[in-house]
Amino acid sequence: MERRVRVRFAPSPTGPLHMGGVRTALYNYLFAKKNNGDFILRIEDTDQTRFVPGAENYILEALAWCGFQPDEGPQNPGKYAPYKQSERKHLYKQYADQLLEAGLAYYAFDTPEELNEMRDRLKAAKVASPQYNAITRNSMKNSLTLSEDEVKNRLDNGDPYVIRIKIPRNEEVRFHDEIRGWVVVHSSHLDDKVLFKSDGMPTYHLANIVDDHLMEITHVIRGEEWLPSAPLHILLYRYLGWVETMPKLAHLPLILKPDGNGKLSKRDGDRLGFPVFPLQWEDPENGSISSGYREKGYFPEAFVNSLAFLGWNPGTEQELFKLDELVEAFSLERVGKAGAKYDADKTKWYNQQYLRKKSNQELADLLAPIIEKTGWNTNNIDLLAYVDLMKERAVFVEDMLEGSYFFESPTSYDEKTISKKWKDNSAEIVNKLIEVLNNIQDFTTENIEKDFKAFLEKESLGFGAVLPIFRVFITGLGMGPSMFAICSLLGKEESLKRLNVGLEKMHGK
Ligand code: GLU
């Protein structure tokens, strides 16, 4: 029988979720939905020493912001509950015991000092990466070298111990990765990883395998940094007798720095001025703030769309995909092996595209509370018409605030425009322009444009002699959207008033 597709996103709550983590969640979500399966959130918090307050909530909030609703998770447990490893503590010991009984794992009692000594000894003997492995375990304090009585005594005594996997000495471990194809690793490169500790907690490796098995996970989709752990996991499936139902593995490519030189890190974001986290994060230890895409004004759809393309492509020219369209188009076959360079400008481009797709009403609703905070008087301005005018040039909703001059008369004029464009005959031209505008009955964009152009023609003037001064008197700025639209939105009275104020201010200069 075909098994129902079940995938999990399994973050450790050790800090804010990096963009790469969000992409892992996204691909899991897309794969699950595409295959009518389940997307599970599992919190992997076995390493209590790395616990960071607030991190779990951050993860939940980030997934919610992106729109990846888990089908099962700590907040909406299903039949495989609980979904937090610290709450599953009682489940793991029996599997460590099973491995001990089968001789596939062993107790080790070495103290941290003894472990350091071993490493120093091996380093001195020019061993490149000293490890607790098939060779070194024979000279350490463990149940393979100590007598049965001694082991029993130590355990009865309550001596601290760990349970280590017994990696075979000379074997090829092979597995098929859905993205990378066949991967072969020789067991001599693997070490006897700790699976369980005497504090009663499993390590990541054991807990991860046990939970994937118990939760009937069919596909493990995760970051490339876990590829080196995969051979160990393969051995664990084999040792525990779970090969038949072993999930398929897919290791996603790295997200690289913009120049392609190495993995994108938090520091790169700070250095290059873009967030690497979905939401802003305040470090509970030192209060330092890391910026987030949400707080920077990105739409979640734009962030998710751009993230989808970091490692995957649809094989067509189409670039804009809403979440449900991504579900439709997604497949692991189209995920590449090579690292994906992060491009901050492209993410901005996505945001601009999504901004343009929004209706004027949606944008006005988003902008209204922001404007309210500025204290500007919005009574006289049609916000829908305003948004329509401003959105062309905006990447973020806040960019549309550039038109503050709609709500308040300019308090100063762009100096460059004045020094370059204010000529001896400028006052006379503006006076004539005032007359032209005053004569327009129906003060629409089209009428203003028509009469303005006729005026230029009649006076044999170029745009450059009139428009910059016209603009700077009305808006204070050297650039902006169509002056005809601006004036029509401001209305005749306000436009004429500003031109007159401009003349007064420039009088005698
Ligand atoms: N807890 C691991 C992490 O933080 C999960 C790795 C996996 O998906 O197997 O990324």
Short mmCIF file of all heavy atoms in Angstrom, two decimals, residues 8 10-12 44 204 208 220 222 226, ligand 1:
data_model
loop_
_atom_site.label_atom_id
_atom_site.label_comp_id
_atom_site.label_asym_id
_atom_site.label_seq_id
_atom_site.Cartn_x
_atom_site.Cartn_y
_atom_site.Cartn_z
N ARG A 8 8.26 16.47 7.87
CA ARG A 8 8.33 17.28 9.09
C ARG A 8 9.36 18.36 8.93
O ARG A 8 10.37 18.22 8.25
CB ARG A 8 8.60 16.38 10.30
CG ARG A 8 10.05 16.02 10.59
CD ARG A 8 10.79 15.39 9.45
NE ARG A 8 12.04 14.80 9.80
CZ ARG A 8 13.24 15.40 9.78
NH1 ARG A 8 13.33 16.66 9.42
NH2 ARG A 8 14.32 14.74 10.09
N ALA A 10 11.75 20.27 11.48
CA ALA A 10 12.16 19.88 12.84
C ALA A 10 13.21 20.82 13.42
O ALA A 10 14.33 20.43 13.69
CB ALA A 10 12.70 18.44 12.80
N PRO A 11 12.86 22.08 13.61
CA PRO A 11 13.87 23.03 14.08
C PRO A 11 14.20 22.84 15.56
O PRO A 11 13.38 22.33 16.32
CB PRO A 11 13.18 24.38 13.89
CG PRO A 11 11.73 24.09 14.04
CD PRO A 11 11.53 22.72 13.46
N SER A 12 15.41 23.23 15.92
CA SER A 12 15.80 23.28 17.32
C SER A 12 15.63 24.73 17.78
O SER A 12 16.08 25.64 17.10
CB SER A 12 17.25 22.86 17.48
OG SER A 12 17.38 21.53 17.03
N GLU A 44 12.68 20.19 18.18
CA GLU A 44 13.76 19.31 18.62
C GLU A 44 14.59 20.01 19.70
O GLU A 44 15.57 20.69 19.40
CB GLU A 44 14.62 18.89 17.42
CG GLU A 44 13.77 18.14 16.38
CD GLU A 44 14.54 17.13 15.56
OE1 GLU A 44 15.72 17.37 15.26
OE2 GLU A 44 13.94 16.08 15.22
N TYR A 204 20.32 14.43 19.56
CA TYR A 204 19.57 14.71 18.34
C TYR A 204 19.43 13.47 17.46
O TYR A 204 18.34 13.14 16.98
CB TYR A 204 20.24 15.85 17.56
CG TYR A 204 20.00 15.80 16.07
CD1 TYR A 204 18.77 16.15 15.53
CD2 TYR A 204 20.99 15.34 15.20
CE1 TYR A 204 18.53 16.06 14.18
CE2 TYR A 204 20.77 15.25 13.83
CZ TYR A 204 19.52 15.61 13.33
OH TYR A 204 19.29 15.51 12.00
N ASN A 208 15.83 12.02 16.68
CA ASN A 208 15.39 12.32 15.32
C ASN A 208 14.92 11.06 14.59
O ASN A 208 13.86 11.04 13.96
CB ASN A 208 16.57 13.01 14.61
CG ASN A 208 16.22 13.51 13.23
OD1 ASN A 208 16.37 12.79 12.26
ND2 ASN A 208 15.76 14.76 13.14
N VAL A 220 12.41 12.93 4.47
CA VAL A 220 13.15 13.88 5.30
C VAL A 220 13.77 14.91 4.35
O VAL A 220 14.64 14.58 3.55
CB VAL A 220 14.24 13.15 6.11
CG1 VAL A 220 15.24 14.15 6.69
CG2 VAL A 220 13.60 12.33 7.22
N ARG A 222 15.73 18.38 4.35
CA ARG A 222 16.43 19.25 5.30
C ARG A 222 17.68 19.83 4.66
O ARG A 222 18.04 19.47 3.54
CB ARG A 222 16.78 18.47 6.57
CG ARG A 222 17.73 17.31 6.28
CD ARG A 222 18.00 16.50 7.53
NE ARG A 222 18.78 15.31 7.19
CZ ARG A 222 19.00 14.31 8.02
NH1 ARG A 222 18.52 14.34 9.24
NH2 ARG A 222 19.73 13.27 7.64
N TRP A 226 23.13 18.70 7.16
CA TRP A 226 22.83 17.41 7.81
C TRP A 226 23.28 16.22 6.98
O TRP A 226 23.16 15.07 7.41
CB TRP A 226 21.33 17.31 8.12
CG TRP A 226 20.95 18.38 9.08
CD1 TRP A 226 20.32 19.56 8.79
CD2 TRP A 226 21.26 18.43 10.47
NE1 TRP A 226 20.20 20.33 9.91
CE2 TRP A 226 20.77 19.65 10.97
CE3 TRP A 226 21.90 17.55 11.36
CZ2 TRP A 226 20.90 20.04 12.31
CZ3 TRP A 226 22.02 17.93 12.69
CH2 TRP A 226 21.52 19.16 13.13
N1 GLU B 1 16.82 19.70 14.69
C1 GLU B 1 17.54 19.70 13.46
C2 GLU B 1 17.74 21.16 13.06
O1 GLU B 1 17.73 21.98 13.92
C3 GLU B 1 16.74 18.93 12.42
C4 GLU B 1 17.53 18.33 11.34
C5 GLU B 1 16.66 17.38 10.55
O2 GLU B 1 15.73 17.87 9.89
O3 GLU B 1 16.87 16.17 10.63
O4 GLU B 1 17.91 21.53 11.95
#
